Amino acid sequence: MAASTADSWSWFPALALGVSFLKCLMINSYHSTDFEVHRNWLAITHSLPVSKWYHESTSEWTLDYPPLFAWFEYGLSHVAQHFDKKMLVVQNLGYASPATVLFQRLSVIATDVVFIYAVRECCRSVREEKGSKDLLVRPYFILAALLLWNYGLLIVDHIHFQYNGFLCGILLLSVARHLQGRHLEGAFLFAVLLNLKHIYLYIAPAYGIFLLRSYCFTKDNTDGSVRWSSLSLVRLIALGSIVISVCALSFGPFIAMGQLPQVLSRLFPFKRGLCHAYWAPNIWALYNVVDKALSVLGLRLKLLANLPKASMTGGLVQEFQHSVLPSVSPSATLICTLVSILPAVLSIWRCPRGARGFLRCLVVCALCSFMFGWHVHEKAILMAILPLSVLAVESREDAGIFLMLATTGHYSLFPLLFTATEMPTKVLLILLFTLYSFTSLKKLFRGFLLNTLEVTYLLGLIAVEIICEVVYPLLPWKQTLPFVTLLAKSVYCSLGVSYSFIRLYLSILRPTDKPKEL
Amino acid sequence: AVYHSISALSSLHVQMLVKMLVCMQPVFLWAGKPPMFGDYEAQRHWQEITYNLPVHEWYFNTTDNNLNYWGLDYPPLTAYHSLLCGHVASLINPDWVELHTSQGFESSAHKLFMRATVLIADLLMYVPAVVLYCFYLSEGSNRKKVCLVLCILLYPGLILIDYGHFQYNSISLGLALWGVLGLGLGWDMLGSLAFVLAVNYKQMELYHSLPFFCYLLGKCFKQGMAGRGLFLLVKIAVTVLVTFTLCWLPFLTDPGQVLQVLHRLFPVGRGLFEDKVANTWCSLNVLIKIKTILSTDTQLYLSLAATLLAALPSSIKLLTKPTLWQFKLALVNSSLAFFLFSFQVHEKSILLPALPVCLLLGDLPLPAVWFLQASTFSMLPLFLKDGLFVPYAVTSSAFVFYSVYLLSALEHSSEEELRLRPVRRLVCLPRVDLGRIFYLSVAAMAGLSFMSVALAPPARLPDLFPLLVSVFSFLHFLGLLLYFNVVQIAEPPSPRRKNPKKTE
């Protein structure tokens, strides 16, 4: 049978094609406002000259990604005009003809080819124990399945609508290149990625420190610390020039036109609230709830009087004040994030563990930004889950952390799809992914990966879902406190995410890991 | 052991996902025509009728029950099933089955409910039968069995008709499959029971009745009509009669009831065919307008004669050699013969030969995939009317790719494996590259599909594309009918043939 030889990679196109077919079936599903966002950007880049791209504000969805992404949309718009010219008119707000939907969906499916290639490269770099094993239990097969069929990507990209597959593909490709030892390519890919979506700035420290420490300093002392004399200027300059030239290519035209401040103001809007409309399960969700609880308690016990009403369930662009605990400003979150990244990054500096240590640091940085960042969207959890998959198929402990993080993170994406028609899809898909990840990783590492408490917590997710979707609507409080379900889900998930975060952090700080070769 | 747990579960999961994605599609108006209320409303209406009205009014034209508006035209089991669904519907929201006022009711919650009933029926009836068949009645490694499960469950025709169009074919086909399972495992009475239930769910299952009859009769003959054979015959006859009686019990009080039900089930007033269907008469009509030349009675006799003639060789062979392999082939041959030559055939009836062909996927992968793809393709005009082009394109491509890949269809296409060895002695078969012809055929189907949806037909021939589709499919069906008949009849009659009956 063609599929039985584990040495041939014929199963890979079968897996990739299968998930692509599934994506095609989702073409006509519900899509969110992000669909209109991208249509608007297609229109802006196609119809207006470059000098107006970052000034245009007919629509509320202004261009807030770096210039390379704008050029990407510009390229797409040339294909779009063959589908439906009307979608490229800036004034056609909310335009969603069948041809438009078809084009946009197909563009996401088509650009996913970058992701598929990146997954293939990651699979080729995965280490495995020797010994004849069945194809289904090989680490690279499991990794391919976990990445290609990742629930979060499918839901966010192909239903909710975004280009995360393309972007995460570049990220994973960069990681794969580092795992393969091709560092200049990895750095180049990351520079490109930064200029496509600046949210990846959060993981730039991991790259910076790793490349500086392990690539620019070519030799270590016998005790593992850095040998300052071995700094290779050639490598440093090569890296610097790559990054600078990519940024110049991307921002150059705008610097020449003197639009840099405008571009930066679009890229970093800090007027939005601490939490997104659907709370991401991070520290601030817990913070908000504690604040609310304290204020309610304080009023009940008559300890506090005349507190300002905390409006934390408002829309997405409002600022809000906390009642009891101090209010949090954007700079405070930035400081928190930087402080949380510091120990991980320092640990990599002091004790570099090669490319895998870098990958671990990358995941930690992504998680830190998720936990402490300003206006974090739950989609950002994907930035941590996807690279963690690579670690999960190589180490037993990482597999356990991955199962917790992935299940909780994926469940927190549920509120993104609230329509009745998407309900069977999202439930079946998450069950498929979760059951597969549990059983395959269990078979790979031959044993249970989670203890009883963790399993109970994860089963509790089912209970939370049933209570929120079935029981709560039947209760009379639904009218007065409609956001309780979102709150409950968010808080419950943030427990799981925080737990995984702490475990992952401890794994990076543990000094007992042997320094592995680059 | 690995395959049993992970891949089997994943396969079942994936096929459920595909089905739900197909049925949750919003209707997309490619053809530019508004979607008809269609079978969805018919099923909802039957729930309304059976829930609100007493049994003796279900099949009659009364003030409360207008038979012209989706009158009940399936046997009693469908009515009982609708009654059950109606009860559940009224528990959730009585508006859904309110007499008269609920006509044309549409809401996303109701859509979810109706689609859920299809999924539940499918999961309870069809999927377990398929899994049991693949694991107990087919040969090969565990890996092959799981691949077989996935491929059978991914058959696009059934998915699109049941979940896209809206029907409950999975129940009748599932029951028929339980019948095959029963017979294959040697439990003749249970098998007969299941098949009788299938016939009582949809009268179209009568297409399969000839092989069941011949197989059981042949088995009785083999066991000797003097002793055990006669006893078996009596047992089966009693089972069949009792089951029929139980199903029709509420109607047996009044012979008028029985006649009316039969009248609804078999409307003989209509002509040889309606619409474009990929059978002989419609294709013949292109050259000779037989509908106008012959009278209705002559047409009836002609089709009866042709059907019996086409089904006879296969049935006789089965009578003389009642093995599971022969039985499966006879199921294909008989139902395909009925489809091609019978009276008032609907294009959805292609599902009846498609089920036994699915069972042959493990043994004769290439012809089976070819037939199944042609059968899906033949229903294209129906899918276009329902706005199901995208699901059709995706599921067909996925099915062809995965069947060819997982079952290595193209590698098992040698003469030996196509069971054409016995024919070689009689006729010199030309050396053809079947793989290339298969690809050409699939490419032609893809091309025609795209043309149907992208191009407008010329003004003089508005039905050009449906006609091309049905004639193309007809040629495939005719060719494959010949092939399957040859395989069945050319098999040597010696009892020492490898019998794929029971595996460990």
Side-chain angles (χ1 to χ4, degrees):
Chain A
M1 279 200 41
S4 58
T5 44
D7 293 329
S8 77
W9 282 64
S10 61
W11 53 268
F12 190 82
L15 264 185
L17 211 58
V19 77
S20 304
F21 282 135
L22 213 65
K23 293 171 188 172
C24 287
L25 280 177
M26 295 187 200
I27 284 183
N28 294 325
S29 310
Y30 154 82
H31 52 77
S32 69
T33 48
D34 276 338
F35 181 86
E36 166 59 17
V37 170
H38 287 279
R39 185 215 60 79
N40 187 38
W41 294 355
L42 279 175
I44 292 180
T45 53
H46 190 87
S47 324
L48 300 173
V50 179
S51 53
K52 293 246 176 28
W53 286 0
Y54 282 93
H55 286 280
E56 172 59 39
S57 54
T58 314
S59 158
E60 57 175 319
W61 312 114
T62 57
L63 194 55
D64 56 1
Y65 276 17
L68 261 190
F69 198 85
W71 287 110
F72 167 70
E73 293 273 8
Y74 178 68
L76 277 182
S77 68
H78 283 287
V79 183
Q81 62 186 354
H82 299 293
F83 277 76
D84 186 347
K85 283 211 161 46
K86 292 218 210 85
M87 79 170 103
L88 298 172
V89 176
V90 179
Q91 279 72 30
N92 279 348
L93 298 180
Y95 186 74
S97 70
T100 313
V101 172
L102 187 66
F103 167 72
Q104 295 250 62
R105 293 286 196 197
L106 285 180
S107 69
V108 183
I109 299 176
T111 50
D112 267 358
V113 78
V114 176
F115 184 71
I116 295 174
Y117 177 67
V119 170
R120 210 183 104 102
E121 291 299 306
C122 282
C123 289
R124 280 192 5 203
S125 324
V126 160
R127 254 188 243 141
E128 53 167 329
E129 304 158 17
K130 290 288 170 273
S132 76
K133 265 184 271 187
D134 212 8
L135 174 67
L136 291 194
V137 210
R138 289 279 178 95
Y140 51 72
F141 180 84
I142 298 179
L143 181 64
L146 289 179
L147 284 175
L148 287 173
W149 287 69
N150 185 291
Y151 169 82
L153 263 189
L154 279 173
I155 293 291
V156 171
D157 265 17
H158 296 95
I159 301 187
H160 186 83
F161 197 88
Q162 270 213 330
Y163 285 94
N164 282 313
F166 169 60
L167 296 168
C168 287
I170 300 183
L171 176 66
L172 282 178
L173 193 58
S174 153
V175 165
R177 289 289 175 251
H178 284 302
L179 286 174
Q180 291 163 354
R182 290 146 73 165
H183 298 285
L184 285 177
E185 288 179 42
F188 169 71
L189 285 165
F190 185 67
V192 168
L193 184 64
L194 269 185
N195 282 293
L196 280 170
K197 193 169 180 181
H198 50 294
I199 201 172
Y200 293 99
L201 266 177
Y202 282 125
I203 54 179
Y207 270 87
I209 298 297
F210 165 69
L211 285 172
L212 196 59
R213 177 71 177 83
S214 305
Y215 185 65
C216 296
F217 290 100
T218 44
K219 287 202 240 324
D220 290 342
N221 289 327
T222 39
D223 64 348
S225 67
V226 62
R227 189 185 292 188
W228 296 97
S229 59
S230 70
L231 175 64
S232 156
L233 272 179
V234 174
R235 288 186 171 188
L236 188 60
I237 293 179
L239 276 179
S241 55
I242 286 178
V243 173
I244 291 179
S245 54
V246 171
C247 290
L249 205 65
S250 152
F251 281 92
F254 297 95
I255 298 180
M257 289 189 284
Q259 286 188 5
L260 193 60
Q262 170 70 0
V263 175
L264 288 177
S265 78
R266 283 289 174 86
L267 256 51
F268 301 101
F270 275 107
K271 289 207 208 53
R272 301 190 192 161
L274 177 62
C275 289
H276 193 259
Y278 306 117
W279 296 4
N282 61 6
I283 280 288
W284 306 124
L286 288 172
Y287 191 86
N288 288 344
V289 162
V290 166
D291 177 70
K292 187 80 177 160
L294 284 178
S295 73
V296 165
L297 217 62
L299 283 172
R300 279 285 166 79
L301 300 177
K302 305 278 194 286
L303 290 174
L304 312 153
N306 298 335
L307 282 174
K309 210 74 171 83
S311 70
M312 48 185 82
T313 53
L316 65 112
V317 201
Q318 289 170 8
E319 307 226 3
F320 48 75
Q321 311 290 330
H322 289 99
S323 313
V324 177
L325 302 172
S327 281
V328 182
S329 69
S331 25
T333 61
L334 192 61
I335 294 174
C336 281
T337 317
L338 286 175
V339 163
S340 62
I341 291 183
L342 224 49
V345 158
L346 281 177
S347 138
I348 289 296
W349 176 268
R350 271 208 323 257
C351 177
R353 272 153 273 172
R356 277 164 176 77
F358 151 69
L359 184 53
R360 195 175 295 273
C361 185
L362 192 152
V363 178
V364 168
C365 288
L367 263 183
C368 287
S369 74
F370 182 80
M371 293 295 294
F372 299 104
W374 178 263
H375 199 79
V376 170
H377 200 290
E378 329 48 271
K379 294 182 247 164
I381 196 74
L382 289 177
M383 196 165 48
I385 292 180
L386 290 171
L388 185 56
S389 319
V390 182
L391 290 174
V393 295
E394 285 183 346
S395 130
R396 192 194 187 88
E397 201 202 328
D398 290 332
I401 302 176
F402 171 78
L403 287 176
M404 272 296 276
L405 186 63
T407 316
T408 325
H410 287 161
Y411 176 68
S412 72
L413 293 173
F414 253 39
L416 281 180
L417 303 180
F418 47 82
T419 49
T421 40
E422 264 61 48
M423 206 259 292
T425 314
K426 73 178 181 187
V427 169
L428 281 175
L429 207 47
I430 201 174
L431 280 177
L432 175 67
F433 183 82
T434 314
L435 287 174
Y436 178 78
S437 55
F438 271 81
T439 47
S440 59
L441 286 175
K442 190 174 111 156
K443 278 254 155 33
L444 178 64
F445 293 110
R446 283 182 284 267
F448 288 104
L449 299 165
L450 300 175
N451 59 36
T452 337
L453 190 62
E454 293 166 332
V455 174
T456 323
Y457 171 81
L458 288 178
L459 287 175
L461 285 174
I462 305 180
V464 168
E465 175 68 8
I466 294 180
I467 293 176
C468 288
E469 295 303 319
V470 179
V471 176
Y472 191 73
L474 301 172
L475 297 175
W477 303 324
K478 174 129 172 86
Q479 304 305 320
T480 48
L481 301 169
F483 289 95
V484 167
T485 50
L486 285 177
L487 200 145
K489 284 187 202 174
S490 177
V491 168
Y492 194 81
C493 290
S494 47
L495 293 173
V497 175
S498 316
Y499 172 75
S500 312
F501 171 62
I502 295 173
R503 272 188 70 181
L504 205 54
Y505 217 104
L506 288 176
S507 79
I508 208 175
L509 291 178
R510 221 172 291 133
T512 52
D513 285 328
K514 283 203 308 287
K516 295 206 174 66
E517 58 305 324
L518 207 61
Chain B
V2 177
Y3 293 103
H4 273 287
S5 49
I6 302 181
S7 45
L9 207 63
S10 307
S11 305
L12 290 176
H13 226 114
V14 166
Q15 61 95 26
M16 261 201 291
L17 191 57
V18 170
K19 286 171 176 168
M20 285 276 86
L21 278 171
V22 167
C23 72
M24 287 299 159
Q25 300 274 322
V27 175
F28 227 46
L29 308 177
W30 287 102
K33 302 179 214 140
M36 305 179 286
F37 274 151
D39 280 340
Y40 181 91
E41 168 63 17
Q43 296 286 347
R44 192 215 54 75
H45 180 69
W46 294 346
Q47 289 173 14
E48 171 195 340
I49 292 292
T50 53
Y51 179 69
N52 288 304
L53 299 177
V55 178
H56 59 262
E57 281 186 39
W58 288 354
Y59 286 92
F60 282 90
N61 212 351
T62 65
T63 44
D64 283 334
N65 180 10
N66 178 11
L67 284 183
N68 283 330
Y69 183 77
W70 303 114
L72 203 55
D73 52 5
Y74 282 131
L77 266 188
T78 301
Y80 302 148
H81 180 233
S82 299
L83 180 63
L84 180 64
C85 294
H87 273 288
V88 177
S90 68
L91 281 176
I92 304 179
N93 182 350
D95 284 336
W96 292 349
V97 284
E98 201 55 53
L99 196 59
H100 299 312
T101 52
S102 64
Q103 286 188 6
F105 190 96
E106 274 182 13
S107 79
S108 52
H110 186 233
K111 187 177 176 189
L112 204 59
F113 166 73
M114 294 290 275
R115 298 297 187 183
T117 58
V118 181
L119 182 67
I120 291 174
D122 190 14
L123 288 178
L124 286 177
M125 207 53 86
Y126 184 67
V127 174
V130 172
V131 173
L132 285 175
Y133 171 81
C134 291
F135 279 102
Y136 288 103
L137 286 182
S138 71
E139 299 188 327
S141 64
N142 276 342
R143 165 181 234 138
K144 180 161 180 208
K145 291 182 182 181
V146 174
C147 293
L148 201 59
V149 168
L150 183 63
C151 289
I152 295 183
L153 290 175
L154 274 184
Y155 169 54
L158 188 56
I159 297 182
L160 290 167
I161 291 288
D162 268 14
Y163 290 90
H165 188 73
F166 201 95
Q167 279 214 330
Y168 289 102
N169 286 307
S170 48
I171 298 186
S172 59
L173 291 176
L175 282 168
L177 191 50
W178 280 106
V180 174
L181 260 176
L183 261 52
L185 292 170
W187 306 329
D188 295 325
M189 292 214 311
L190 287 176
S192 329
L193 174 74
F195 182 66
V196 170
L197 288 176
V199 170
N200 277 309
Y201 193 86
K202 279 202 185 197
Q203 68 272 33
M204 292 195 311
E205 280 293 328
L206 284 172
Y207 282 23
H208 288 150
S209 54
L210 208 53
F212 271 87
F213 178 71
C214 292
Y215 176 81
L216 289 168
L217 197 60
K219 200 167 169 192
C220 293
F221 283 158
K222 271 249 150 35
Q223 291 185 352
M225 283 313 281
R228 289 180 55 214
L230 188 63
F231 186 48
L232 183 63
L233 190 62
V234 168
K235 272 198 300 188
I236 295 173
V238 166
T239 315
V240 169
L241 280 169
V242 168
T243 320
F244 259 106
T245 319
L246 284 175
C247 289
W248 288 65
L249 205 55
F251 303 97
L252 288 178
T253 50
D254 176 19
Q257 284 276 334
V258 176
L259 280 175
Q260 171 67 359
V261 177
L262 287 175
H263 183 71
R264 291 293 303 166
L265 296 183
F266 304 104
V268 278
R270 305 200 203 154
L272 203 53
F273 63 86
E274 248 171 56
D275 243 346
K276 302 279 168 292
V277 75
N279 77 353
T280 331
W281 310 125
C282 182
S283 309
L284 210 56
N285 206 41
V286 177
L287 303 169
I288 328 165
K289 298 271 175 259
I290 32 170
K291 248 183 138 168
T292 43
I293 294 180
L294 304 170
S295 72
T296 320
D297 276 345
T298 327
Q299 290 172 10
L300 190 57
Y301 293 139
L302 177 65
S303 91
L304 195 65
T307 313
L308 284 178
L309 217 64
L312 213 56
S314 149
S315 309
I316 293 180
K317 175 79 186 190
L318 179 61
L319 207 56
T320 59
K321 191 179 176 188
T323 63
L324 183 64
W325 174 240
Q326 285 282 323
F327 181 48
K328 290 196 291 194
L329 285 169
L331 279 171
V332 176
N333 287 322
S334 179
S335 42
L336 195 50
F338 270 78
F339 176 82
L340 287 176
F341 296 104
S342 185
F343 208 73
Q344 264 293 311
V345 172
H346 198 285
E347 51 200 341
K348 289 185 275 206
S349 309
I350 195 65
L351 290 177
L352 289 160
L355 174 71
V357 174
C358 283
L359 303 183
L360 292 176
L361 262 176
D363 310 294
L364 300 167
L366 186 61
V369 174
W370 211 335
F371 178 86
L372 293 171
Q373 178 50 35
S375 63
T376 315
F377 174 68
S378 71
M379 295 192 278
L380 178 63
L382 186 62
F383 299 144
L384 286 181
K385 267 191 238 152
D386 280 341
L388 287 171
F389 181 73
V390 172
Y392 156 78
V394 173
T395 48
S396 301
S397 320
F399 175 74
V400 171
F401 174 78
Y402 280 106
S403 314
V404 170
Y405 172 70
L406 289 175
L407 301 173
S408 312
L410 292 172
E411 278 121 50
H412 294 309
S413 58
S414 70
E415 222 170 55
E416 161 76 33
E417 278 154 325
L418 287 179
R419 316 287 169 110
L420 286 176
R421 230 346 142 63
V423 184
R424 223 163 146 248
R425 283 187 238 120
L426 307 168
V427 164
C428 191
L429 291 169
R431 290 229 170 274
V432 282
D433 184 359
L434 273 176
R436 200 170 297 163
I437 300 182
F438 173 69
Y439 279 136
L440 275 174
S441 160
V442 171
M445 289 190 222
L448 258 179
S449 309
F450 274 108
M451 283 203 294
S452 298
V453 79
L455 302 176
R460 277 180 302 124
L461 306 162
D463 280 330
L464 179 66
F465 290 124
L467 201 64
L468 280 176
V469 166
S470 59
V471 171
F472 193 75
S473 319
F474 164 70
L475 291 172
H476 279 74
F477 295 154
L478 199 61
L480 284 159
L481 177 70
L482 246 76
Y483 166 74
F484 283 122
N485 265 302
V486 163
V487 171
Q488 183 185 0
I489 294 171
E491 197 193 356
S494 64
R496 240 209 41 73
R497 259 209 65 90
K498 187 166 67 143
N499 200 347
K501 202 167 154 181
K502 274 198 169 80
T503 55
E504 323 75 46

